[in-house]
Amino acid sequence: MSVECIFCNIKNKQIPSDILFEDDYCFVINDINPVAPVHLLVVPNNHFTYLDNLTDDFAPVIFKMFEAAKNMAFSKGVSESGYRLVINQKSDAGQEIPHLHLHLTAGTKLKSLG
Ligand code: AMP
Ligand code: ZN
């Protein structure tokens, strides 16, 4: 845990946030500055900075993050219309918070990445 980290502080309730889902691996919140009608963040419970540091030990957490994203897409009613999952890494991607997270955006036609 990093006391400087916004997501760690949301997890330990030092920063208020509506936690939509949590289990032993990850939690889900609404992005404070949404770029789409649905914009969720799926965040591992334990502080984890960059995918540079990925090891086999982290496999269950990665699986659980994608499972949470899939389940949230169902509960938000966008699993049929579609959604996008994004992970920003470091400055060229515009990463603001160095604690791994999945963005789930949906609810409108998302601009093509290609
Ligand atoms: P990234 O740029 O990939 O690091 O994404 C960080 C995201 O966290 C941004 O989309 C922010 O809008 C969002 N964010 C920052 N502070 C909060 C907060 N307190 N609660 C929810 N989302 C936040
Ligand atoms: Zn953190």
Side-chain angles (χ1 to χ4, degrees):
M1 199 232 346
S2 163
V3 288
E4 306 296 326
C5 174
I6 290 172
F7 291 156
C8 284
N9 282 325
I10 288 174
K11 178 66 194 171
N12 67 27
K13 313 280 195 274
Q14 297 304 302
I15 294 176
S17 180
D18 286 336
I19 296 181
L20 307 178
F21 168 83
E22 59 186 322
D23 64 13
D24 289 342
Y25 297 88
C26 65
F27 64 97
V28 179
I29 56 175
N30 283 307
D31 195 294
I32 206 169
N33 187 19
V35 299
V38 175
H39 187 170
L40 308 178
L41 301 172
V42 183
V43 186
N45 289 345
N46 293 326
H47 189 76
F48 182 92
T49 53
Y50 304 115
L51 289 170
D52 292 357
N53 303 318
L54 195 65
T55 63
D56 287 354
D57 293 346
F58 210 65
V61 182
I62 296 286
F63 173 80
K64 286 297 199 176
M65 289 172 66
F66 278 84
E67 182 183 57
K70 180 256 296 181
N71 289 339
M72 290 307 302
F74 270 102
S75 65
K76 289 286 180 182
V78 297
S79 59
E80 289 300 320
S81 51
Y83 56 96
R84 177 171 290 157
L85 299 177
V86 168
I87 297 175
N88 292 320
Q89 290 288 277
K90 302 187 184 173
S91 65
D92 277 3
Q95 185 180 9
E96 292 170 17
I97 301 181
H99 177 142
L100 184 70
H101 50 284
L102 272 179
H103 292 256
L104 188 164
T105 53
T108 189
K109 281 278 180 212
L110 300 166
K111 283 198 189 107
S112 169
L113 292 177

